[in-house]
Amino acid sequence: MPTNPVLVVHGGAWAIPDDMVEAHLRGVRNALAAGWRVLEHGGPSLDAVEESVAVMEDDETFDAGRGSFLNRDGRVQMDALIMDGATLRAGGVGCVERIANPVRAARKILSESPHVYFVGEGAEKFAAEHGIRLCRNEDLVIPREVERLREYQSHLEEHRADLFAPTISHDTVGAVALDRDGNIAAATSTGGTLNKAPGRLGDSSLIGCGCYANNESAAASTTGWGEPIMKLVLAKWAADRVEAGNLPEWVAKEAMNYLKQRVNGHGGMILLDSEGHFGIAHNTPRMAWAFRSLESQEAGIDRNR
Ligand code: ASP
């Protein structure tokens, strides 16, 4: 009996300003459509999450690919991970600067390397050797982000005090999917946090922190302030609770409570098990999300109401 496919995507959790809501909704809907095209034709969940995430990397609305936040030196530096719940194979890249779609490089690592994780120039070299065209870092920088960094750096002290300020956005993108064969997968891609120190790596591309997939437990993708999420290994924390018999919907909410209570962290999570149960939760004012199954399809910027 084939399984009914399910796809859930997110485009970051933060105080998304009203004038950016439409762009976020459009972005997650486009990502959903791309991943769903794979799943409805019986394609693997791994391909579906790759396609969904690549669409959001191409969309300047999000902090991934072109349009990513700039680091302290004004450069784009990106991290991504993709993981296959059937085999536990994973591919990750960290601190890459010349790859427009880091998720595609991560996928190449998963499929074509005995290694799991590449960083910096080594990751770019691997990508180029496996058919991924390298770009210039300037190609990924857009005027909006140059201005955002300038504004942020000129008000550093004020920003430190208010992590939910509209300028402190968390626009990382991610997807989790279940395919007709009953396999789940997850992918997460990010430009990291605004004004980060060069070489800083967040949760997004670390296995079990910002991304995880195991058919025996769950597939998860997180977004938000990466350092607290890393400390709790939050994606794996959530997957373990699903494996113990809890519903993803409940676990995702619990993960957000745990993040807040234990390390005063904020963010959001999408979580999906291999029976198609899923959860979407955030402890930020808003989070861009969308899901699709055979029965229904929905997108929103608030899951708490
Ligand atoms: N979690 C990401 C990081 O800390 C940022 C985000 O989700 O927007 O790198």
Side-chain angles (χ1 to χ4, degrees):
M1 254 297 258
T3 309
N4 287 338
V6 178
L7 178 64
V8 189
V9 304
H10 75 77
W14 57 296
I16 301 170
D18 289 344
D19 63 355
M20 291 178 76
V21 164
E22 231 2 86
H24 279 75
L25 286 174
R26 203 180 317 119
V28 291
R29 285 189 182 117
N30 287 341
L32 196 72
W36 191 256
R37 270 195 294 277
V38 175
L39 295 176
E40 73 179 343
H41 292 114
S45 52
L46 204 54
D47 288 356
V49 294
E50 180 183 346
E51 293 311 316
S52 285
V53 165
V55 163
M56 290 187 280
E57 288 175 335
D58 289 342
D59 185 335
E60 292 175 12
T61 305
F62 302 107
D63 174 29
R66 183 173 149 83
S68 284
F69 293 158
L70 302 181
N71 70 10
R72 208 173 55 195
D73 294 347
R75 292 180 73 79
V76 166
Q77 227 178 43
M78 302 158 295
D79 315 323
L81 188 91
I82 185 164
M83 186 159 179
D84 177 16
T87 61
L88 299 187
R89 285 200 303 174
V93 292
C95 297
V96 292
E97 296 192 347
R98 296 190 299 151
I99 300 175
N101 291 107
V103 74
R104 303 234 185 260
R107 177 64 192 271
K108 289 277 183 201
I109 294 167
L110 181 154
S111 306
E112 294 175 36
S113 172
H115 304 309
V116 167
Y117 207 100
F118 284 77
V119 297
E121 281 177 20
E124 290 165 1
K125 189 162 184 276
F126 177 90
E129 283 168 2
H130 289 80
I132 292 181
R133 201 178 60 82
L134 299 185
C135 62
R136 297 176 311 159
N137 195 255
E138 302 88 281
D139 299 336
L140 305 173
V141 176
I142 63 171
R144 180 194 69 207
E145 293 307 321
V146 174
E147 175 52 24
R148 200 199 298 260
L149 182 70
R150 195 200 55 74
E151 204 282 329
Y152 186 89
Q153 291 183 336
S154 60
H155 295 94
L156 256 192
E157 280 317 309
E158 293 158 46
H159 290 318
R160 230 168 244 141
D162 183 6
L163 286 164
F164 292 121
T167 43
I168 313 289
S169 57
H170 289 289
D171 267 332
T172 290
V173 304
V176 292
L178 167 66
D179 62 28
R180 287 201 192 275
D181 294 330
N183 294 318
I184 53 177
T188 306
S189 180
T190 188
T193 48
L194 179 61
N195 196 45
K196 65 184 179 180
R200 176 266 187 191
L201 193 82
D203 60 307
S204 308
S205 65
L206 297 179
I207 290 189
C209 298
C211 186
Y212 189 70
N214 181 348
N215 279 3
E216 293 174 9
S217 55
S221 173
T222 69
T223 175
W225 186 16
E227 279 73 7
I229 294 172
M230 283 155 75
K231 291 172 191 169
L232 299 178
V233 197
L234 200 61
K236 179 67 162 59
W237 183 96
D240 286 347
R241 271 145 194 84
V242 174
E243 188 169 4
N246 300 294
L247 277 177
E249 192 180 345
W250 182 82
V251 173
K253 285 191 192 121
E254 277 306 293
M256 291 304 109
N257 293 337
Y258 180 46
L259 179 64
K260 178 78 187 125
Q261 282 158 14
R262 187 67 184 89
V263 283
N264 197 26
H266 65 263
M269 172 182 281
I270 54 176
L271 186 65
L272 168 72
D273 71 16
S274 48
E275 287 173 13
H277 304 117
F278 67 88
I280 302 170
H282 55 105
N283 64 10
T284 48
R286 286 174 166 167
M287 171 172 174
W289 55 267
F291 76 80
R292 183 155 184 185
S293 65
L294 289 183
E295 299 83 38
S296 57
Q297 177 177 358
E298 223 179 291
I301 42 105
D302 190 347
R303 194 64 182 177
N304 293 330
R305 277 188 215 132

